[in-house]
Amino acid sequence: GIQGIQGIQTCLRVAGAAAARPECFLSVQDGLAADFRAMTKTLYDLNKGSNIVRGGPLKELVIENFDEEQIWQQLELQNNAVLDFFKESIARDAKDEDLCLLSDQEEDGSDAETSSDKELEDNIMEAEAEQKNVYTKDKDKTKAKEKQSKLRENIIQKYSDEDSDVDFDIEALEQQAKTAKETTWKKTGRKSVVDDKFFKLSEMEAFLEHAEKENEEEEDDINYFEDIISDDEEEDSEQAKAKPIKSSRDMTYKDFFDPVDDDDDLVANDVEDDEEEEADSAIEEQNEESMSEFEDMNEMVEHMRSKEASKKVTFSLPDDSETEDVTEMQLEKGMDPGEIKSSFEKRQEKMSKRIKSLEEALLEEKPWQLKGEVTGQKRPENSLLEETVLFDHAVRMAPVITEETTFQLEDIIKQRILDEAWDDVVPKEKPKEEAFEYKKRITLDHEKSKLSLAEIYEQEYMKLHQQKTEEEENPEHKEIQEMMDSLFQKLDALCNFHFTPKPPVPEVKIVSNLPAISMEEVAPVAVSDAALLAPEEIKEKNKAGDVKTDAEKTPTDKKREQRRKKLRKRMRRREKEKRQKLLEKMKPEQGIKLSKKAAAAKLKRLAKEGKASLLKDEGKDKALKSSQAFFSQLQDQVKMQIKDASKLKKKQKTEKAFSVQKLKL
Amino acid sequence: AAGTPPPASGAAPASRPAVSRPLQVGKGELRRIAVPANRYTPLKENWMKIFTPIVEHLQLQIRFNLKTRNVEIKTCQETKDLSALTKAADFVKAFILGFQVEDALALIRLDDLFLESFEVTDVKPLKGDHLSRAIGRIAGKGGKTKFTIENVTRTRIVLADTKVHILGSFQNIKMARTAICNLILGNPPSKVYGNIRAVASRAAERF
């Protein structure tokens, strides 16, 4: 009992002394460390003395020749054992409505007051540890606040461990800072012009007052229920007030600073602070003393306000300039809902709403589209059909034919037609190389070469070097010759009056009429037999076909030939007569000459027909050459006369006979 | 240690003026070429044609060592060209292998002629009758095939039992070697003619 109180008092004294000179902590203080260790031991033993809570297995804290780490582990053992008990008790007390001492506005009845002092006294570390584990900005706020309140009541036993010194101090500070803030909020609850996310004027005022008070009260008895903010944490408090500080090692940007979005944060903070305010009304009773001091501070602070304003840190955000106005307005918005809002206000409202909705969307579970690999089971049925999916095509897609494409094509076609740039296929000509020419290129000589190798190479060398000169001469000569020829031809044309052009040089093609067989024997491959005369050219072919002898001719052949002969003769005769008549008409003298012949011919014709008879001139006109011939001729003539006469008589007789008969009648 | 004393400051070391001497071949370098028995008589017959160009044009000394049956070629003071000895040795060697003197003479006159030898069995392992047939294919009837290859590729070929020696420029040796190898491997001569003709025409076009 008394021993315990004494022990605690000594501890407080030591701790207070140490805290009063924070600069000492910058260097290693062995004496201070030993003091703190002793303190720890006394407290631990006191705990063990009271049998309210079943703690760890160790009866007392052993610190002689022990490391910090070992001492810590001993403490942990104790803490873990008691943790569960405390959880249960708190839960139990929380449910119990009779025990509610805080105002109805609270979200839940905190039982900070009901838990006994002893319990709280015993296990500060557990509370801290719990707070460490449990405290977050959003969750378990109220629980944390309960712990805070517990801690406040039992104030300080600072652990000696140098490693955990910082931790502990910060944790203590954190709770104290929170309480300080809460108290200030509770009391002042007002926003000033200079407020921003780092700095809250009222907080500062509160802190300053507290510090003043602390300086005054250090000699007196320690007020258990008073906040004590150690000097070296003054700077941190301002910044760290708004944030939960876990441990120096785990601190991140967001522990120091609010999120970038100014307005909402301020709003949120304000809201938070309001909540805190409500939740901790219980503390109000205990801290009434300190409140007055804070109020005094406020006036002081107001003097500093102008300075503060200039030092204030601003982010270059669009709405930055109007943060204070906004906050004020937002504060007032709750107060005057019926008022007409300005356009800016409306905009801001919308923005904040939108931001809220976005935040909610972000916090929600993401849609299946954003979840990475999604199988068919993980998404709704046929959901992929509504999605436009992008993927690489391995095959080139067929072009989509639209009106535009057709127009484009037509334009191209029209332009091509105008340019006459047809895509006609140029017929490829295969370079035809005759086998002969190919063989001519390299003739295979199957005999032993007459030239020796040296001579061959010699010849080649000479050829190489001479070839160049030869080629240079000949083409030039040829060209010159051609040009001269054309020139002279033109000059001749101009000079000569009777210009006779040169006869075109006939192309002489030698056609030898040799029998084909002789040509084929010796001819090289290149010579063709187109140059020879055909047999028909030598002798014309008979229309009938083969030539036949009289014996071979058939009757039809003979008749055919006869007809042709007759026809030819007829034609000839008619032509002759025509010519004769024509001649008589035109030239009568010539007609007379020819009339003798014609008369003779006529006579002959008549004699044949029997119309004219020719007096035979039986040789009288013949010139008598020899006498014998004359006499014989005379004899013959006489004989002939006698024969004739006798023939006449016979004829007369016969004729007379016939008349007698007639007469007898 | 005794050494020439350093010259006086600034003065160049005293020395005799350099004598300009023509680049001389080391005196008395010797090359020996062995002569097999079957080439003994041809060597005797063509001796005049062999030693004249060597002695007159290359300025070397040549002799036939009867005891060792070697043709020995030596440089002397009159020798001007360093490569003359190599050329002469190659020339005699070519003759000994079986080439004609006029053909071997090309080795002296032209720089870029080479001599290549290989065996028929190097190309394909043949034995007995197959080997004989291969040699017959290379030679052809009356040496026709061999002469054809020689003419088209501008080389000289000597076929000594199973050994083949080719004399000519590098590209031509390659062509002839390919042709002969094809014949050894069994291609008919007509095919080989076609191939070498194509190759030779391409080579001729290029140059």
Side-chain angles (χ1 to χ4, degrees):
Chain A
I2 297 169
Q3 211 183 0
I5 290 166
Q6 276 181 350
I8 289 168
Q9 279 181 352
T10 46
C11 291
L12 281 170
R13 209 182 317 128
V14 169
R21 295 186 303 281
E23 61 274 8
C24 298
F25 287 114
L26 291 170
S27 57
V28 176
Q29 301 277 320
D30 290 325
L32 221 59
D35 287 338
F36 282 137
R37 256 188 245 202
M39 242 166 51
T40 318
K41 183 166 170 51
T42 42
L43 289 169
Y44 191 89
D45 294 342
L46 283 169
N47 272 343
K48 276 291 165 193
S50 62
N51 291 323
I52 294 167
V53 184
R54 274 181 52 224
L58 300 168
K59 285 263 168 165
E60 61 167 10
L61 188 70
V62 184
I63 53 169
E64 277 117 44
N65 300 326
F66 262 41
D67 217 1
E68 288 99 33
E69 196 57 33
Q70 288 163 329
I71 295 170
W72 187 264
Q73 279 168 5
Q74 288 179 52
L75 289 170
E76 238 185 1
L77 275 171
Q78 172 76 352
N79 291 342
N80 288 337
V82 181
L83 207 66
D84 291 322
F85 172 80
F86 270 112
K87 275 187 186 168
E88 280 176 38
S89 60
I90 286 161
R92 193 183 359 104
D93 291 335
K95 284 184 204 163
D96 197 348
E97 287 181 6
D98 294 340
L99 300 171
C100 180
L101 289 176
L102 302 170
S103 65
D104 293 341
Q105 292 164 12
E106 276 184 33
E107 288 169 17
D108 56 346
S110 82
D111 318 313
E113 312 315 306
T114 54
S115 52
S116 63
D117 285 350
K118 268 194 190 169
E119 288 174 27
L120 297 167
E121 224 179 301
D122 287 341
N123 298 294
I124 298 160
M125 271 316 288
E126 285 113 346
E128 281 185 358
E130 266 197 78
Q131 194 157 16
K132 234 199 272 184
N133 298 333
V134 164
Y135 191 91
T136 58
K137 197 170 180 190
D138 297 327
K139 296 186 208 170
D140 296 329
K141 246 188 250 178
T142 52
K143 256 197 191 170
K145 281 162 205 152
E146 286 160 17
K147 298 287 185 297
Q148 281 177 19
S149 58
K150 273 191 235 162
L151 208 68
R152 249 184 289 116
E153 282 164 20
N154 299 311
I155 313 243
I156 305 96
Q157 278 135 26
K158 302 225 167 143
Y159 277 75
S160 61
D161 294 351
E162 282 164 8
D163 287 347
S164 59
D165 229 1
V166 180
D167 290 356
F168 177 80
D169 287 341
I170 289 166
E171 284 159 15
L173 165 75
E174 163 198 0
Q175 285 105 40
Q176 284 145 21
K178 261 286 178 208
T179 55
K181 191 168 85 169
E182 284 151 22
T183 51
T184 51
W185 272 122
K186 213 171 0 95
K187 250 322 174 188
T188 60
R190 70 185 170 124
K191 328 265 176 183
S192 65
V193 179
V194 298
D195 279 344
D196 71 346
K197 49 192 243 187
F198 293 119
F199 174 68
K200 295 201 172 35
L201 191 62
S202 36
E203 278 179 21
M204 196 198 75
E205 289 170 12
F207 172 73
L208 288 168
E209 278 191 32
H210 183 80
E212 252 189 42
K213 195 188 166 204
E214 196 186 47
N215 287 331
E216 289 168 22
E217 284 188 1
E218 234 179 324
E219 307 92 42
D220 304 340
D221 286 339
I222 295 166
N223 187 357
Y224 288 116
F225 307 111
E226 196 186 352
D227 300 347
I228 294 181
I229 301 168
S230 58
D231 294 343
D232 53 346
E233 254 75 47
E234 268 178 59
E235 301 96 28
D236 294 344
S237 67
E238 275 188 68
Q239 289 175 357
K241 271 176 195 175
K243 294 291 153 229
I245 299 161
K246 303 161 211 141
S247 96
S248 64
R249 297 191 194 100
D250 296 335
M251 284 213 272
T252 53
Y253 173 92
K254 58 180 164 59
D255 295 326
F256 283 105
F257 303 109
D258 288 337
V260 176
D261 212 334
D262 274 344
D263 301 329
D264 283 348
D265 222 337
L266 277 169
V267 173
N269 273 340
D270 296 339
V271 171
E272 255 184 87
D273 295 335
D274 292 339
E275 284 176 10
E276 286 170 31
E277 208 177 320
E278 292 165 4
D280 293 316
S281 58
I283 307 153
E284 206 175 342
E285 299 161 24
Q286 297 164 18
N287 291 320
E288 274 176 4
E289 299 162 338
S290 46
M291 287 311 120
S292 54
E293 292 161 16
F294 289 136
E295 278 177 345
D296 295 336
M297 285 256 286
N298 279 341
E299 294 152 47
M300 253 178 60
V301 168
E302 276 175 326
H303 291 297
M304 296 164 65
R305 202 187 283 178
S306 53
K307 290 186 198 167
E308 288 291 333
S310 60
K311 290 183 201 166
K312 187 179 70 173
V313 174
T314 52
F315 287 102
S316 59
L317 291 172
D319 299 322
D320 211 12
S321 55
E322 295 166 305
T323 41
E324 296 113 332
D325 300 337
V326 169
T327 53
E328 286 176 359
M329 280 195 231
Q330 279 174 331
L331 275 172
E332 289 159 7
K333 107 184 147 189
M335 299 179 207
D336 315 354
E339 236 179 52
I340 299 164
K341 294 180 196 157
S342 69
S343 59
F344 178 76
E345 277 176 331
K346 288 177 196 161
R347 240 189 299 136
Q348 284 302 102
E349 266 181 55
K350 280 185 206 163
M351 267 273 279
S352 60
K353 273 186 206 164
R354 190 154 172 274
I355 287 161
K356 230 183 183 176
S357 67
L358 284 171
E359 280 182 346
E360 279 169 25
L362 281 170
L363 291 170
E364 275 176 9
E365 198 186 301
K366 290 194 177 162
W368 67 267
Q369 284 93 340
L370 300 173
K371 270 197 180 162
E373 278 192 18
V374 178
T375 58
Q377 280 86 30
K378 288 183 190 152
R379 56 181 165 82
E381 200 181 312
N382 290 336
S383 57
L384 210 57
L385 293 173
E386 282 106 47
E387 290 293 310
T388 48
V389 189
L390 278 174
F391 53 86
D392 291 332
H393 297 266
V395 187
R396 217 168 130 198
M397 304 294 284
V400 177
I401 306 292
T402 56
E403 260 191 67
E404 288 164 8
T405 55
T406 12
F407 284 136
Q408 275 177 355
L409 279 172
E410 284 175 9
D411 287 336
I412 294 169
I413 291 166
K414 282 179 209 161
Q415 192 57 40
R416 285 276 188 95
I417 292 167
L418 290 169
D419 295 338
E420 296 199 17
W422 315 116
D423 279 339
D424 288 342
V425 177
V426 177
K428 271 194 275 184
E429 281 178 26
K430 189 174 172 183
K432 230 181 169 183
E433 194 188 24
E434 281 182 42
F436 177 63
E437 275 167 32
Y438 174 72
K439 283 178 194 171
K440 227 189 349 183
R441 268 194 273 148
I442 296 175
T443 50
L444 288 181
D445 188 11
H446 293 289
E447 293 168 358
K448 183 177 168 119
S449 73
K450 280 128 198 146
L451 304 166
S452 76
L453 199 66
E455 281 165 21
I456 290 174
Y457 279 110
E458 216 183 285
Q459 277 184 354
E460 227 183 84
Y461 180 81
M462 298 300 275
K463 222 196 320 178
L464 267 172
H465 286 260
Q466 271 184 1
Q467 218 177 31
K468 292 170 195 172
T469 52
E470 272 181 29
E471 276 172 7
E472 280 167 18
E473 284 178 25
N474 271 338
E476 281 183 10
H477 276 197
K478 271 188 193 171
E479 260 191 72
I480 292 166
Q481 195 63 41
E482 280 172 33
M483 279 157 62
M484 294 279 276
D485 286 340
S486 67
L487 176 68
F488 282 134
Q489 202 171 23
K490 284 169 190 167
L491 287 171
D492 288 338
L494 291 170
C495 328
N496 291 334
F497 285 108
H498 309 284
F499 171 63
T500 48
K502 260 192 189 173
V505 178
E507 259 190 44
V508 177
K509 189 181 167 195
I510 298 164
V511 175
S512 54
N513 195 14
L514 297 172
I517 203 162
S518 69
M519 296 297 274
E520 275 160 11
E521 264 179 9
V522 187
V525 179
V527 174
S528 69
D529 54 355
L532 296 174
L533 285 175
E536 281 76 12
E537 291 170 352
I538 299 169
K539 184 177 186 286
E540 244 181 71
K541 197 176 159 188
N542 194 4
K543 194 173 177 184
D546 298 329
V547 178
K548 287 182 181 175
T549 58
D550 287 344
E552 289 173 356
K553 279 183 194 165
T554 57
T556 32
D557 291 332
K558 287 176 191 170
K559 283 183 186 170
R560 195 196 296 128
E561 275 187 28
Q562 205 69 21
R563 268 181 259 131
R564 282 169 98 192
K565 203 171 162 187
K566 269 185 157 178
L567 183 73
R568 260 190 243 130
K569 259 197 169 171
R570 208 180 297 141
M571 299 308 288
R572 255 183 255 152
R573 258 183 87 200
R574 279 187 189 154
E575 275 183 40
K576 213 173 179 184
E577 281 174 15
K578 272 186 197 169
R579 260 187 285 136
Q580 193 81 44
K581 277 177 190 171
L582 203 69
L583 210 66
E584 275 179 25
K585 279 182 188 174
M586 301 301 283
K587 292 171 187 177
E589 313 94 43
Q590 280 186 346
I592 290 165
K593 274 185 186 175
L594 294 168
S595 68
K596 252 190 182 175
K597 280 187 186 172
K602 208 173 182 184
L603 195 66
K604 215 179 179 181
R605 211 169 1 102
L606 287 169
K608 257 191 192 174
E609 288 168 16
K611 288 173 185 174
S613 64
L614 284 169
L615 292 169
K616 286 186 196 172
D617 192 9
E618 290 144 19
K620 283 172 187 173
D621 293 335
K622 274 192 210 172
L624 298 164
K625 286 168 191 171
S626 67
S627 63
Q628 195 179 15
F630 171 72
F631 284 111
S632 63
Q633 205 178 349
L634 199 69
Q635 188 72 33
D636 290 332
Q637 273 183 338
V638 172
K639 271 185 191 173
M640 288 298 286
Q641 276 177 344
I642 296 162
K643 256 191 193 174
D644 288 334
S646 64
K647 270 187 185 174
L648 271 167
K649 277 176 187 174
K650 277 182 188 173
K651 270 190 181 176
Q652 278 172 351
K653 278 182 185 175
T654 53
E655 282 178 357
K656 276 177 182 178
F658 285 99
S659 62
V660 173
Q661 280 176 340
K662 278 181 188 171
L663 292 172
K664 283 181 177 180
L665 284 166
Chain B
T4 53
S9 58
S15 61
R16 267 170 273 145
V19 178
S20 58
R21 258 173 275 153
L23 191 68
Q24 276 189 351
V25 181
K27 197 175 156 188
E29 275 187 26
L30 192 71
R31 293 286 165 91
R32 287 200 190 88
I33 299 118
V35 181
N38 61 334
R39 292 304 282 170
Y40 194 58
T41 325
L43 182 69
K44 267 206 295 190
E45 287 165 11
N46 294 311
W47 182 247
M48 287 303 294
K49 281 196 262 174
I50 290 168
F51 99 89
T52 317
I54 289 176
V55 170
E56 286 180 19
H57 297 124
L58 298 174
Q59 277 103 34
L60 293 164
Q61 292 174 343
I62 184 168
R63 72 164 182 186
F64 183 62
N65 192 334
L66 286 156
K67 264 188 267 177
T68 57
R69 297 288 179 94
N70 283 353
V71 176
E72 287 167 10
I73 310 173
K74 199 167 77 170
T75 58
C76 60
Q77 270 184 343
E78 284 87 32
T79 316
K80 294 190 188 74
D81 201 8
L82 198 63
S83 59
L85 188 60
T86 329
K87 279 192 193 173
D90 283 340
F91 164 60
V92 175
K93 193 156 157 239
F95 175 77
I96 299 297
L97 282 176
F99 292 96
Q100 303 281 342
V101 183
E102 296 84 17
D103 299 336
L105 209 60
L107 277 167
I108 298 178
R109 296 179 69 179
L110 291 147
D111 266 343
D112 58 348
L113 292 192
F114 298 97
L115 185 59
E116 177 165 333
S117 317
F118 63 94
E119 284 213 31
V120 173
T121 44
D122 288 346
V123 180
K124 191 174 174 185
L126 298 165
K127 276 181 263 185
D129 274 356
H130 303 296
L131 183 61
S132 314
R133 272 195 283 274
I135 298 169
R137 270 200 300 277
I138 300 171
K141 192 180 237 172
K144 200 169 64 151
T145 320
K146 187 179 84 119
F147 291 136
T148 315
I149 297 174
E150 282 184 3
N151 290 328
V152 173
T153 59
R154 292 197 304 270
T155 54
R156 289 288 173 265
I157 301 173
V158 162
L159 194 52
D161 280 346
T162 51
K163 289 200 184 60
V164 182
H165 310 285
I166 310 174
L167 173 72
S169 70
F170 182 71
Q171 298 279 5
N172 295 335
I173 284 176
K174 222 169 30 163
M175 274 194 274
R177 190 180 60 216
T178 321
I180 293 171
C181 290
N182 284 339
L183 285 168
I184 294 167
L185 291 168
N187 288 6
S190 53
K191 192 163 180 181
V192 173
Y193 293 161
N195 289 344
I196 48 171
R197 204 196 287 131
V199 175
S201 65
R202 247 186 286 139
E205 272 171 33
R206 253 187 291 143
F207 300 113

